[in-house]
């Protein structure tokens, strides 16, 4: 598949890139804390402690800055310098989350870019690779009554 097969239209990217990143980072870390934080090992959390991270969706023109501190992910304001920045298109991030594409393949084809602390990048990659995707199922963190099966 071509790396440019799916991308945000330029007018949408221009609008999104003008939005302040901090409110988006707050929403992003809320999702991380709800769906991911409890599944991370204490060793991983110790290594993440105080590290400034950035996830950037290049084609959407948005980025989220955050840090693990005091037992949860927190949005970071004005993170000029990060320990690790990970960039890809929204489509490539979706492929990664769905495990339809390997991070190494995206990295070597330059569709996934990691900048900063190499060891931290490997920790993040290996940690995400080791997590069972079912932890991201909405039934794990939303009220069960929203997902009842219909009888019959």
């Amino acid at each position: 598949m071509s790396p440019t097969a799916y991308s945000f239209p330029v007018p949408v990217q221009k609008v999104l890139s003008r939005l302040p990143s901090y409110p988006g980072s707050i929403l992003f870390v809320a999702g991380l804390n709800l769906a991911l934080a409890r599944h991370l090992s204490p060793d991983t959390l110790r290594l993440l402690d105080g590290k400034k991270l950035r996830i950037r969706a290049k084609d959407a023109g948005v980025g989220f800055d955050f840090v693990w501190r005091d037992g949860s992910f927190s949005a970071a304001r004005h993170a000029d310098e990060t320990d690790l920045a990970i960039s890809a298109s929204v489509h490539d991030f979706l492929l990664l989350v769905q495990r339809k594409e390997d991070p190494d393949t995206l990295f070597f084809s330059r569709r996934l870019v990691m900048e900063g602390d190499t060891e931290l990048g490997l920790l993040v990659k290996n940690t995400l690779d080791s997590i069972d995707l079912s932890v991201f199922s909405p039934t794990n963190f939303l009220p069960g009554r929203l997902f009842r099966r219909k009888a019959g």
Side-chain angles (χ1 to χ4, degrees), residues 71-136:
S72 67
F73 288 105
S74 302
R77 259 190 217 265
H78 311 297
D80 295 330
E81 291 192 28
T82 59
D83 294 295
L84 178 67
I86 302 170
S87 302
S89 70
V90 171
H91 182 252
D92 286 336
F93 278 129
L94 287 172
L95 292 175
L96 284 170
V97 169
Q98 297 169 346
R99 297 222 169 110
K100 291 182 177 179
E101 191 69 75
D102 178 64
D104 293 328
T105 301
L106 292 177
F107 179 79
F108 289 114
S109 65
R110 298 186 179 165
R111 292 168 50 195
L112 175 73
V113 177
M114 292 182 130
E115 299 171 295
D117 185 335
T118 305
E119 281 187 49
L120 184 58
L122 287 173
L123 171 73
V124 169
K125 176 198 167 296
N126 293 335
T127 299
L128 293 175
D129 281 346
S130 70
I131 293 175
D132 177 12
L133 288 181
S134 68
V135 304
F136 298 110

Side-chain angles (χ1 to χ4, degrees), residues 34-35 38 135-148:
L34 186 63
R38 63 188 159 142
V135 304
F136 298 110
S137 171
T139 58
N140 287 331
F141 47 88
L142 293 176
R145 66 180 180 272
L146 294 176
F147 296 98
R148 283 190 188 149

Side-chain angles (χ1 to χ4, degrees), residues 8-100:
F8 272 74
V10 172
V12 174
Q13 185 269 342
K14 285 183 178 181
V15 170
L16 291 176
S17 68
R18 291 177 190 223
L19 297 174
S21 64
Y22 187 69
S25 295
I26 292 171
L27 293 173
F28 185 76
V29 299
L32 285 178
N33 286 323
L34 186 63
L36 183 65
R38 63 188 159 142
H39 300 286
L40 300 177
S41 75
D43 288 340
T44 298
L45 297 176
R46 183 179 46 76
L47 294 169
L48 282 176
D49 192 41
K51 301 292 185 184
K52 296 175 191 168
L53 306 167
R54 174 177 292 142
I55 299 290
R56 186 170 158 261
K58 296 184 289 191
D59 61 331
V62 297
F64 306 110
D65 297 316
F66 56 100
V67 62
W68 176 266
R69 185 176 292 129
D70 299 326
S72 67
F73 288 105
S74 302
R77 259 190 217 265
H78 311 297
D80 295 330
E81 291 192 28
T82 59
D83 294 295
L84 178 67
I86 302 170
S87 302
S89 70
V90 171
H91 182 252
D92 286 336
F93 278 129
L94 287 172
L95 292 175
L96 284 170
V97 169
Q98 297 169 346
R99 297 222 169 110
K100 291 182 177 179

